[in-house]
Amino acid sequence: MLIAIICTLSLSFASPALAFGTSPLSGLITLKALAQDAVPYPTAITNGKPTLLEFYADWCTTCQGMSGTIQTLEAKYGDRVNLVMLDIDDPQWDKLVQRYRVTGIPQYTFLDESQGTVDTLVGKIPQSIMERFFKQLVS
């Protein structure tokens, strides 16, 4: 029994994904799915809805880890909030990376209906905090 506990603890420190039974690739798969289904930036800035700009990179493990939270919130608020995914490694977004002063990823920039910046968060953000910002956008 003690050996089983030690092995479980070792796995959780070595790889939280293994300890909780999720594939290390699941975050990347979710991130790619979000990017594929995201609202295109030109559409988002003209359709009159508030917007979440997510600056990310496929190689970013924090971006991958946050993808489940973003997927959950997109499912709940996606009809009222644009989700725009901008890969910082894609040169077409260089001007937006500069405009929104991306200093780390993932960066979440919340825009109101007129595309004015409401707030910006960077890094691993608890789902409850992210949801509070989504609620603020739709109220």
Side-chain angles (χ1 to χ4, degrees):
M1 173 100 159
L2 182 58
I3 292 174
I5 293 171
I6 290 171
C7 288
T8 301
L9 288 174
S10 295
L11 281 175
S12 67
F13 289 117
S15 174
L18 291 176
F20 294 107
T22 59
S23 164
L25 293 177
S26 66
L28 178 59
I29 292 167
T30 304
L31 186 65
K32 286 190 167 288
L34 284 170
Q36 182 177 356
D37 296 338
V39 175
Y41 179 76
T43 301
I45 61 170
T46 60
N47 71 5
K49 290 184 185 179
T51 298
L52 170 63
L53 299 177
E54 178 178 346
F55 294 92
Y56 76 99
D58 287 341
W59 50 262
C60 170
T61 56
T62 303
C63 302
Q64 295 169 16
M66 286 292 297
S67 64
T69 295
I70 300 303
Q71 184 179 49
T72 298
L73 294 170
E74 198 279 332
K76 188 171 183 178
Y77 295 97
D79 60 331
R80 297 171 283 166
V81 176
N82 297 311
L83 172 62
V84 176
M85 302 286 292
L86 303 170
D87 184 346
I88 63 161
D89 290 330
D90 187 334
Q92 73 174 317
W93 305 125
D94 287 349
K95 288 183 181 179
L96 291 176
V97 166
Q98 291 175 6
R99 177 179 175 187
Y100 291 103
R101 298 181 180 160
V102 177
T103 59
I105 54 171
Q107 177 171 306
Y108 305 100
T109 301
F110 296 88
L111 306 175
D112 62 20
E113 297 86 1
S114 60
Q115 304 310 306
T117 302
V118 174
D119 215 331
T120 298
L121 303 173
V122 178
K124 185 177 179 182
I125 311 296
Q127 183 167 336
S128 60
I129 304 251
M130 291 295 288
E131 184 150 20
R132 185 172 35 190
F133 281 92
F134 273 82
K135 286 180 180 176
Q136 180 183 350
L137 285 180
V138 298
S139 63

